[in-house]
Amino acid sequence: MAPPARKSRLVIPRSFVYGAAAVVLVLGSIGLIVFSFYLVSLDKDIRTRFAGVRWALPAQVFAAPLELYAGLNLDAGDLKHELERLGYRDSGSLEGPGTFSLNRQGADIYVRAFHFWDGPRAENRISLKFDGAGVASVSDADSGESRDIVRMDPMLIGSIYPQQQGEDRVLVKLEEVPELLRDGLLAVEDRDFYDHFGISIRGVLRAMFVNLRAGHAVQGASTVTQQLVRNFFLTLDRTWTRKFNEMFMSILLERHYSKDDILEAYINEIYLGQDGNRAIHGFGLASWFYFNKPLGELRDHEVALLVGVVKGASYYNPRRNPVRAKDRRDLVLRVFKERGLIDEAEMRAAIERPLSVAGTKQGGVERYPAFVDLVKRQLRGQYKDSDLTDEGLRIFTTLDPRSQEALERNIAQGLAEIEKSRKLPAGTLESAGVVTSVGGGDVLGIVGGRDVRYSGFNRALDSRRSIGSLAKPFVYLTALEQGDRYNLHSMIDDEPIELRLPTKQIWSPMNYDRKLHGPQPLYMALAQSYNLPTVRLGLEVGEKAVANTLKQAGYTGNPALVPSMFLGAVDVAPVEVAQMYGTIAAGGFQSPLSAIREVTTKEGEPLNRYPIRVKQTLPEGPVYLVTWAMTQVMRLGTGRSAYGIVPDTMTLAGKSGTTDDLRDSWFSGFTGDRVAVVWVGRDDYKPMGLTGSSGALYIWSRLIRDLKAKPLDLIPPPDVEEQLADTVTGLKADEGCDSRLLIPYLRGYAPQSWAPCARAAESQPMQWLREIFE
């Protein structure tokens, strides 16, 4: 029997084994070296970027603070509105900063701490008393000591952030974060935050299993540290490479920084919403964006909503998806209760509360893009763009929220009412408006279009339109500077005019009503806005002189020196009209319009101040005369319908403006403390059928009523004297003249002869006739 065949055995040479082991060792060593370099690179990147300037901090733009003092025209209802605008809560008692208690007799307010441009102000409690005129007294709520003035914390009205990334945030320190927010955030997002080393092994294994089954990355179990790394250093792509980097960077981050540092960074970095092209990052800004108050004043249900939004700021957007957001909020509240952060009663009470989100579906509270646009322009040349978007500057402005609100409301409502009454399709008309202070040049409010939150084309600054009869006061002012030739009762012919232009064409202006009215006193020609007397007067004083007056008032353009300039063939933006009329309102003293009061660093150190700059550019006496004539516009002329809205006890000065074919409707005027300009028109320049009196004045008069402005106080300057005059002859009058009017004149140029109706004329027979012919 043959022996069984022997099985062959594969014999691996020992040299091959050693060689393979050497290759593996070399490759492993190379891999270890590469991995080490990779870790060193990641480590350096983390330490460099995280330890340096962690965030670009947009400049914060603040409104002018509300100042409370005895004598302020502010009743209980107005005060409540102002406090709620600032995010104060009527609690019935002073529970803490940001709360108040109010009734018709008075109010108690727990004023927040704030760092103003002139130093920090600690939180304090004050008491107010009201009387029929407004605020009767202001005192310290604890000591009862009288206070001269109390400055409320100003409203944050906007930010200047990078337009490409669009990130905006308000930094908070960890100790400033409410305990419920800090602990509740970890309860929902990362319960083992203070125990792990940057990653959760259990969560990673679970995610790997799910992702392997799916064949691609579909799930994660990120810790707070990983979320911070992803937002701060990486993209949101769901790839293995990104996840691999995220894990090791999280471990390295925790190696170098404390848990509290990481948590504070997360609280300031996490994305929590979108406001147009502005991305809301961090809980500090989200608190203002959603609730219009600082983080420290949030209540349980508000904290829960912010924590819930972390899971998906768009998906759980409380403005657009309120039902979904409330379900998420209530789930978070139940987690709070399970973790012992709130009790059963507190949870149930919080679930019963509405979302309480401030603002509208479109975005946050009180955004003023047209005003912030002006602020940016006035800062150009003084700061680099990076200073405004990265350094956290604090910009204190002149914006008065009450004036801004009144301007916005009356433009929006006024346009809708005008369109309805004129049977125009809704949205046909556009508008722009500006409100400034008299004397100081402060821009108090500005609207760039009927969509007051739209940050696009700013008509108040950029829409240069013909101003029509708004130019006429400057023609009359030019003439009144010549006291030996003109006074307010100088007679001007209202007769046809034909002028041959350089183009050989004949220009034949007409009055708006296409009628002739005979010789007119200068003030009445302006009050009635007659074109023919205005052109005649302008030709007498000359185009160059009128153009110079326009420039001295604040016009920055170069008008064509043609007769049509007298009737407003000059293109001017509303904000520049406000500058020009502001110079008249201030008696010929010009203060360049400014939207900025102070600029400080994020720590509160002053950088730039913007003091009031005043210079006299127009003669005070003639300016007073034309101001008086503009009061007659309101009493007797094209502005008289304003007194159907504004009490007739208030003295106003103003002028309407209408352009050819009724394409533009203007009204500009002033009170004792406010200048207001309103333009109404169409962006396509088509006629709309509105004069200055039937369009812009409708809005302007309601705006002036709501501003609660001070009446104009006509006090003649030293070079002006007042004298009773007969409105028929323009000569001196006394009680013997039935038609008499107290008219101002440049000193030394008032008529000396008595009118024939005057009783004193009996001693000067025929003297009046000789003076008329002279």
Side-chain angles (χ1 to χ4, degrees), residues 80-336:
K80 186 174 189 292
H81 181 66
E82 291 298 314
L83 292 174
E84 289 176 343
R85 194 209 307 274
L86 289 173
Y88 279 64
R89 180 167 54 92
D90 188 352
S91 62
S93 62
L94 302 187
E95 298 175 356
T99 59
F100 68 93
S101 175
L102 178 144
N103 55 49
R104 291 184 179 180
Q105 288 71 46
D108 293 325
I109 308 172
Y110 205 136
V111 182
R112 298 177 182 132
F114 191 82
H115 201 303
F116 288 94
W117 58 87
D118 53 0
R121 193 268 319 277
E123 61 186 49
N124 61 104
R125 302 193 304 171
I126 63 169
S127 293
L128 277 70
K129 299 297 182 185
F130 298 110
D131 59 18
V135 178
S137 66
V138 181
S139 61
D140 186 279
D142 297 318
S143 67
E145 183 179 351
S146 178
R147 301 279 295 273
D148 291 334
I149 190 167
V150 171
R151 193 163 53 185
M152 299 295 296
D153 42 301
M155 181 170 58
L156 180 65
I157 61 172
S159 303
I160 302 176
Y161 49 86
Q163 290 301 307
Q164 292 184 345
Q165 298 95 348
E167 292 188 7
D168 196 5
R169 57 174 51 80
V170 173
L171 290 185
V172 294
K173 296 179 180 179
L174 191 59
E175 57 265 27
E176 299 170 345
V177 178
E179 184 177 351
L180 179 61
L181 175 58
R182 184 179 67 246
D183 295 344
L185 178 64
L186 295 180
V188 173
E189 294 293 322
D190 191 354
R191 295 185 179 184
D192 300 323
F193 174 72
Y194 281 99
D195 298 322
H196 63 62
F197 55 91
I199 60 174
S200 170
I201 300 299
R202 182 183 302 174
V204 170
L205 291 175
R206 182 181 64 251
M208 288 178 62
F209 177 74
V210 173
N211 292 338
L212 283 171
R213 289 186 61 183
H216 58 93
V218 297
Q219 188 184 76
S222 301
T223 64
V224 159
T225 310
Q226 287 176 275
Q227 293 180 48
L228 175 62
V229 166
R230 184 187 313 139
N231 282 276
F232 200 80
F233 298 104
L234 305 173
T235 68
L236 298 179
D237 297 335
R238 289 180 175 271
T239 64
W240 287 107
T241 300
R242 195 270 295 162
K243 192 67 178 177
F244 190 76
N245 287 335
E246 177 188 302
M247 289 171 58
F248 282 103
M249 292 179 84
S250 298
I251 295 170
L252 291 170
L253 186 64
E254 295 234 5
R255 178 175 176 269
H256 290 293
Y257 299 98
S258 71
K259 290 285 188 178
D260 285 351
D261 286 340
I262 293 170
L263 182 57
E264 180 177 282
Y266 179 88
I267 285 171
N268 285 300
E269 172 61 25
I270 191 69
Y271 171 73
L272 291 169
Q274 196 71 30
D275 185 21
N277 64 346
R278 180 177 71 134
I280 307 300
H281 283 260
F283 287 92
L285 180 59
S287 180
W288 287 105
F289 178 63
Y290 288 115
F291 303 112
N292 192 34
K293 57 185 174 182
L295 202 58
E297 296 178 15
L298 295 184
R299 291 179 287 176
D300 297 356
H301 67 291
E302 295 164 336
V303 170
L305 178 60
L306 291 189
V307 171
V309 168
V310 171
K311 186 175 177 64
S314 178
Y315 189 78
Y316 295 108
N317 184 326
R319 293 192 176 96
R320 297 185 179 179
N321 306 304
V323 175
R324 187 184 297 160
K326 187 177 186 304
D327 289 343
R328 175 66 181 168
R329 184 204 69 177
D330 294 349
L331 175 62
V332 170
L333 284 167
R334 292 186 181 95
V335 173
F336 286 1

Side-chain angles (χ1 to χ4, degrees), residues 383-645:
Y383 298 93
K384 299 176 184 177
D385 287 345
S386 58
D387 293 334
L388 298 174
T389 58
D390 298 351
E391 298 302 321
L393 299 183
R394 291 155 59 86
I395 300 166
F396 296 93
T397 73
T398 60
L399 182 133
D400 173 37
R402 286 192 290 171
S403 298
Q404 178 72 27
E405 183 183 70
L407 183 59
E408 289 180 355
R409 180 178 61 254
N410 283 289
I411 281 180
Q413 293 179 357
L415 289 182
E417 291 167 2
I418 291 170
E419 287 170 345
K420 184 178 180 180
S421 67
R422 296 279 170 162
K423 297 182 179 179
L424 296 171
T428 298
L429 302 178
E430 265 297 349
S431 184
V434 182
V435 178
T436 70
S437 66
V438 171
D442 292 342
V443 179
L444 306 177
I446 187 167
V447 167
R450 68 185 297 161
D451 184 355
V452 297
R453 297 292 175 263
Y454 177 62
S455 59
F457 182 56
N458 191 339
R459 293 165 188 81
L461 305 184
D462 297 325
S463 183
R464 303 185 70 86
R465 308 279 293 230
S466 295
I467 59 174
S469 296
L470 291 189
K472 288 178 181 176
F474 303 97
V475 177
Y476 287 78
L477 174 59
T478 306
L480 290 168
E481 291 182 35
Q482 303 177 37
D484 57 337
R485 295 181 61 190
Y486 303 100
N487 61 50
L488 287 168
H489 206 283
S490 296
M491 303 302 290
I492 311 172
D493 288 337
D494 183 13
E495 298 294 337
I497 298 175
E498 289 190 355
L499 298 173
R500 184 174 296 276
L501 303 177
T503 59
K504 307 301 182 181
Q505 293 178 313
I506 300 298
W507 184 57
S508 302
M510 293 182 290
N511 292 323
Y512 173 74
D513 61 4
R514 299 181 179 273
K515 297 178 181 179
L516 300 176
H517 308 89
Q520 293 293 313
L522 186 148
Y523 77 88
M524 188 58 72
L526 179 61
Q528 299 296 339
S529 199
Y530 292 146
N531 290 337
L532 295 176
T534 302
V535 172
R536 193 174 300 279
L537 186 63
L539 292 172
E540 291 178 7
V541 298
E543 290 94 336
K544 288 185 179 180
V546 173
N548 182 64
T549 300
L550 288 169
K551 290 185 175 182
Q552 291 298 103
Y555 175 60
T556 59
N558 292 300
L561 300 180
V562 294
S564 58
M565 173 182 66
F566 307 141
L567 301 183
V570 182
D571 294 340
V572 189
V575 70
E576 199 165 30
V577 173
Q579 177 73 82
M580 296 161 64
Y581 272 72
T583 303
I584 294 178
F589 291 84
Q590 186 180 113
S591 298
L593 294 186
S594 177
I596 307 169
R597 182 166 290 164
E598 307 277 348
V599 177
T600 74
T601 66
K602 60 179 178 291
E603 292 82 15
E605 294 299 320
L607 289 177
N608 270 343
R609 302 197 67 182
Y610 294 77
I612 297 174
R613 293 177 290 129
V614 181
K615 62 177 180 179
Q616 186 171 2
T617 60
L618 292 171
E620 193 173 10
V623 166
Y624 180 84
L625 300 188
V626 83
T627 298
W628 183 91
M630 290 168 66
T631 66
Q632 302 308 301
V633 171
M634 307 306 296
R635 293 292 181 185
L636 307 172
T638 57
R640 60 186 179 274
S641 66
Y643 283 112
I645 305 299

Side-chain angles (χ1 to χ4, degrees), residues 592-774:
L593 294 186
S594 177
I596 307 169
R597 182 166 290 164
E598 307 277 348
V599 177
T600 74
T601 66
K602 60 179 178 291
E603 292 82 15
E605 294 299 320
L607 289 177
N608 270 343
R609 302 197 67 182
Y610 294 77
I612 297 174
R613 293 177 290 129
V614 181
K615 62 177 180 179
Q616 186 171 2
T617 60
L618 292 171
E620 193 173 10
V623 166
Y624 180 84
L625 300 188
V626 83
T627 298
W628 183 91
M630 290 168 66
T631 66
Q632 302 308 301
V633 171
M634 307 306 296
R635 293 292 181 185
L636 307 172
T638 57
R640 60 186 179 274
S641 66
Y643 283 112
I645 305 299
V646 181
D648 59 9
T649 55
M650 173 175 278
T651 301
L652 306 171
K655 186 69 189 75
S656 58
T658 310
T659 60
D660 290 345
D661 298 324
L662 305 183
R663 288 186 171 89
D664 299 275
S665 170
W666 291 88
F667 203 90
S668 181
F670 48 91
T671 67
D673 60 347
R674 297 288 184 265
V675 179
V677 177
V678 174
W679 167 84
V680 175
R682 293 177 57 141
D683 285 341
D684 59 10
Y685 286 84
K686 290 182 179 179
M688 57 177 173
L690 295 172
T691 65
S693 298
S694 61
L697 177 59
Y698 182 87
I699 297 172
W700 186 91
S701 55
R702 287 158 176 78
L703 169 63
I704 293 298
R705 174 199 61 194
D706 293 349
L707 288 177
K708 296 185 177 180
K710 296 179 181 179
L712 184 61
D713 190 5
L714 290 174
I715 301 175
D719 59 342
V720 169
E721 58 181 323
E722 294 180 312
Q723 182 172 287
L724 277 176
D726 171 33
T727 58
V728 177
T729 63
L731 300 180
K732 288 176 66 175
D734 58 19
E735 62 278 6
C737 298
D738 294 331
S739 179
R740 59 185 184 272
L741 185 65
L742 187 64
I743 297 177
Y745 299 86
L746 292 183
R747 191 167 296 280
Y749 293 104
Q752 299 302 308
S753 299
W754 292 99
C757 59
R759 294 175 182 174
E762 298 175 0
S763 61
Q764 297 181 359
M766 304 302 290
Q767 177 64 29
W768 63 272
L769 188 59
R770 285 194 294 271
E771 181 155 335
I772 288 177
F773 281 103
E774 289 176 358

